Amino acid sequence: MYKEILKHVTSKIELTEDEQLEFIGILSEQRIAKRQFLIEPGQTVDCEYYVVKGCLKAYYLDEGGNKHIIQFAVEDWWISDFEAFFGNLPAQLYVEAIEDSVLLGINRDTLETLYKRISKFERFFRIKTTNAFVALRGRILSSLQKSNKERYLEFCQTYPEIEKRVPNYHIANYLGIKPESLSRLRKEMF
Amino acid sequence: MYKEILKHVTSKIELTEDEQLEFIGILSEQRIAKRQFLIEPGQTVDCEYYVVKGCLKAYYLDEGGNKHIIQFAVEDWWISDFEAFFGNLPAQLYVEAIEDSVLLGINRDTLETLYKRISKFERFFRIKTTNAFVALRGRILSSLQKSNKERYLEFCQTYPEIEKRVPNYHIANYLGIKPESLSRLRKEMF
DNA sequence: AGCCACAACTAACATATATCAAGTAATTCC
DNA sequence: GGAATTACTTGATATATGTTAGTTGTGGCT
């Protein structure tokens, strides 16, 4: 259960046996069935979640009630309403399981106290956020400067796992295009 | 000269007089004239820069030689080729002054040693990156889910300073649309 | 003043995506 | 296994943005 996340963390910082145990100690396992919500708008978001197993999506509904998918997550990814989590604000997003999933939650306050005891963890989460920042930056560039066909191709190459496991209309939504348009792009491509 | 950046840092973490002096000690002032480059592709990027005064843009040239603006920066912002800076990779971006500018550079290695002496700074930069991450996330949402007209309006509201100081064709480029299209949108808006 | 370079605007046409409507294929559920 | 639901595809038309080309406006320079 904890093997994956320990590998994930120790790829960035070295941890003694004791530190590993201490880290595991602050994780809370959470299981969630397909179509169930991990987070709903208005809730307080105390945790960010590491995905051990499964597949989830984060989205919000706009004024017109249209769904907008912001993020998918599968094994070895993190998910939450990060804006709410970091800012200690009420959630604006739904986080919903696309498949039955197993998660490890980290509580913000518990994490803060861990930072104070072992500052290496502050380092880990700084590095993790920095990497996420760089990845997001790449997504912006691609969203602004590439055609939808290129972006879909890029999506398939970057997230082959997700492309296989998630229905096309979800992917279209994530890319910000209509399912009909995605269908046409796919037709032109193969 | 250091007043602004100290205010900027101490808004997130508390610093003693000594710590403030130590922080100032690692900053290197850099002045750069309009149309000069702070960073050019291929260079190693050892610093990220706090803008004390002036206005800059970060962009790259694609395979076809087309310019793509990624970021503007004015007073109290940070700029660099962050991907190169964080990853210790050769620069891919140009960072060019749009106006005569005054910057404070922080060297990555010097910063790392500062982290080890005073871990509060690791905290500051984690928070700063986290905030940047959340802001970028907002930009993605707006780039994917809003019309160009809405995005231009949002840009004007979010960065009124930049809208005033930067020519329209730069803003069009940043928004990922053609100057002609921006001109049409402006005509429809007013 | 007059010229030049550059930025912004306008118009006509081309292309891409959205929208609306229908039909087909695949899943889910009893 | 069959009905109902959900996902995907296709076609006709509307809308938005890109493309190309030409015009206007502005500021700097001699």
Side-chain angles (χ1 to χ4, degrees):
Chain A
M1 166 63 82
Y2 299 113
K3 198 172 81 255
E4 296 89 352
I5 197 171
L6 281 175
K7 190 174 162 199
H8 176 80
V9 173
T10 54
S11 73
K12 299 277 186 284
I13 56 171
E14 294 192 8
L15 292 177
T16 66
E17 195 79 11
D18 281 353
E19 287 166 344
Q20 293 189 16
L21 288 173
E22 184 152 12
F23 181 63
I24 286 172
I26 70 164
L27 301 173
S28 63
E29 181 185 333
Q30 192 143 350
R31 290 175 181 267
I32 178 170
K34 184 171 174 173
R35 270 184 272 273
Q36 294 304 110
F37 294 102
L38 181 64
I39 296 172
E40 290 183 73
Q43 293 178 350
T44 55
V45 181
D46 300 322
C47 289
E48 59 180 328
Y49 300 91
Y50 174 85
V51 182
V52 178
K53 180 76 198 146
C55 181
L56 303 96
K57 63 183 173 184
Y59 64 91
Y60 74 93
L61 302 180
D62 66 18
E63 313 77 43
N66 302 304
K67 189 192 280 194
H68 297 278
I69 297 177
I70 294 177
Q71 192 200 337
F72 296 107
V74 290
E75 290 78 11
D76 203 34
W77 288 59
W78 293 83
I79 196 164
S80 185
D81 180 342
F82 288 108
E83 190 156 353
F85 174 72
F86 290 135
N88 203 357
L89 302 164
Q92 296 199 301
L93 304 182
Y94 294 87
V95 177
E96 181 186 333
I98 297 178
E99 304 172 1
D100 295 350
S101 301
V102 181
L103 309 164
L104 294 172
I106 297 192
N107 180 282
R108 183 180 41 250
D109 298 335
T110 313
L111 185 59
E112 284 285 334
T113 60
L114 180 64
Y115 286 162
K116 292 192 176 112
R117 282 206 307 285
I118 310 175
S119 75
K120 250 187 278 185
F121 284 103
E122 185 127 39
R123 179 174 186 77
F124 170 75
F125 283 94
R126 178 181 60 77
I127 293 171
K128 170 167 100 65
T129 307
T130 301
N131 290 343
F133 174 86
V134 168
L136 257 187
R137 182 168 267 259
R139 184 172 166 204
I140 288 212
L141 297 190
S142 114
S143 79
L144 291 175
Q145 296 152 2
K146 300 198 173 167
S147 71
N148 289 337
K149 195 184 290 188
E150 287 172 312
R151 290 171 52 228
Y152 175 61
L153 201 62
E154 191 175 86
F155 180 87
C156 293
Q157 288 165 350
T158 313
Y159 310 115
E161 267 311 302
I162 293 174
E163 196 274 325
K164 268 179 277 175
R165 285 159 73 170
V166 162
N168 281 334
Y169 69 98
H170 275 154
I171 296 174
N173 186 302
Y174 175 87
L175 293 172
I177 62 179
K178 296 288 150 186
E180 295 93 326
S181 298
L182 180 58
S183 177
R184 282 179 189 117
L185 295 180
R186 286 165 57 85
K187 190 171 153 192
E188 288 168 28
M189 286 164 66
F190 306 117
Chain B
M1 165 64 80
Y2 297 112
K3 198 171 81 259
E4 297 88 352
I5 197 170
L6 281 175
K7 190 174 162 200
H8 176 78
V9 172
T10 54
S11 73
K12 298 278 186 283
I13 54 171
E14 294 193 7
L15 292 177
T16 66
E17 195 79 12
D18 281 353
E19 287 166 344
Q20 293 191 15
L21 288 173
E22 184 151 12
F23 181 64
I24 287 172
I26 72 165
L27 301 173
S28 64
E29 181 185 333
Q30 191 142 351
R31 291 174 182 268
I32 178 169
K34 185 172 174 173
R35 270 186 271 275
Q36 295 303 110
F37 294 103
L38 181 64
I39 295 173
E40 290 182 73
Q43 293 179 351
T44 56
V45 181
D46 300 321
C47 289
E48 60 180 327
Y49 301 91
Y50 174 85
V51 181
V52 178
K53 181 77 198 144
C55 181
L56 304 96
K57 62 182 173 184
Y59 64 92
Y60 74 94
L61 301 179
D62 67 17
E63 312 77 39
N66 302 304
K67 189 191 283 193
H68 297 277
I69 298 177
I70 294 178
Q71 192 201 337
F72 295 108
V74 291
E75 289 78 13
D76 202 33
W77 288 59
W78 294 83
I79 196 164
S80 185
D81 179 341
F82 288 108
E83 190 157 352
F85 175 71
F86 290 134
N88 202 359
L89 302 165
Q92 297 199 300
L93 304 182
Y94 294 88
V95 177
E96 182 185 333
I98 298 178
E99 303 172 1
D100 294 350
S101 301
V102 181
L103 309 164
L104 294 172
I106 297 192
N107 180 282
R108 183 181 41 249
D109 297 336
T110 313
L111 185 59
E112 284 284 334
T113 60
L114 181 64
Y115 286 163
K116 292 192 177 113
R117 281 205 307 286
I118 309 175
S119 74
K120 248 188 278 186
F121 284 103
E122 184 127 39
R123 177 174 186 78
F124 170 75
F125 283 95
R126 178 181 60 78
I127 293 171
K128 171 167 100 63
T129 307
T130 301
N131 290 342
F133 174 86
V134 168
L136 256 187
R137 181 167 266 260
R139 185 172 164 206
I140 287 216
L141 298 189
S142 113
S143 78
L144 292 176
Q145 296 153 2
K146 300 198 173 168
S147 70
N148 289 336
K149 195 184 289 189
E150 287 172 311
R151 291 170 52 227
Y152 176 61
L153 201 62
E154 192 176 85
F155 179 88
C156 293
Q157 288 165 349
T158 313
Y159 311 115
E161 266 311 302
I162 293 175
E163 197 275 325
K164 267 180 276 174
R165 285 158 74 170
V166 163
N168 282 336
Y169 69 99
H170 274 156
I171 296 174
N173 186 301
Y174 176 86
L175 293 172
I177 62 179
K178 297 287 150 185
E180 294 91 333
S181 297
L182 180 58
S183 178
R184 261 194 297 242
L185 295 180
R186 286 166 56 86
K187 187 173 154 194
E188 288 167 27
M189 286 164 66
F190 307 117

